[in-house]
Amino acid sequence: PYRGGKNWMRAPHIHADIIGKRGRIVTQVYFENEALNKSDRLLHSIANPKALIAKRQASVDGAETDGVSYYWEVIVPEQ
């Protein structure tokens, strides 16, 4: 987290730049159950904030066990 302004902190997030055959999406991905999600002004400035929140996922077979996995679905609209 870091300061988003004088009176608020940004929630932990990752910047995503997705390029496809028909366009580009630049967005941010947030993490489920982060306390600062509730007060992140940029997260709540869009119509559907839940669309930007990655869900924590249980470990899958063959995955490293010392990390944490998240799932985030990206739907790129046709233009």
Side-chain angles (χ1 to χ4, degrees):
Y2 61 91
R3 288 204 173 280
K6 184 176 180 180
N7 298 319
W8 64 289
M9 294 289 288
R10 294 292 321 273
H13 61 278
I14 296 173
H15 293 250
D17 188 350
I18 303 157
I19 302 170
K21 291 180 183 178
R22 297 186 180 178
R24 177 180 182 197
I25 295 173
V26 178
T27 189
Q28 297 177 27
V29 183
Y30 295 81
F31 302 96
E32 182 177 54
N33 297 325
E34 285 291 339
L36 289 172
N37 285 351
K38 294 176 185 175
S39 60
D40 192 290
R41 294 176 186 175
L42 293 180
L43 174 60
H44 292 284
S45 70
I46 67 165
N48 184 12
K50 289 182 180 181
L52 298 182
I53 298 177
K55 306 278 187 237
R56 190 168 180 158
Q57 194 172 322
S59 297
V60 294
D61 291 340
E64 294 183 24
T65 57
D66 60 346
V68 177
S69 296
Y70 284 85
Y71 176 81
W72 179 61
E73 184 173 278
V74 178
I75 300 171
V76 180
E78 291 191 37
Q79 294 181 357

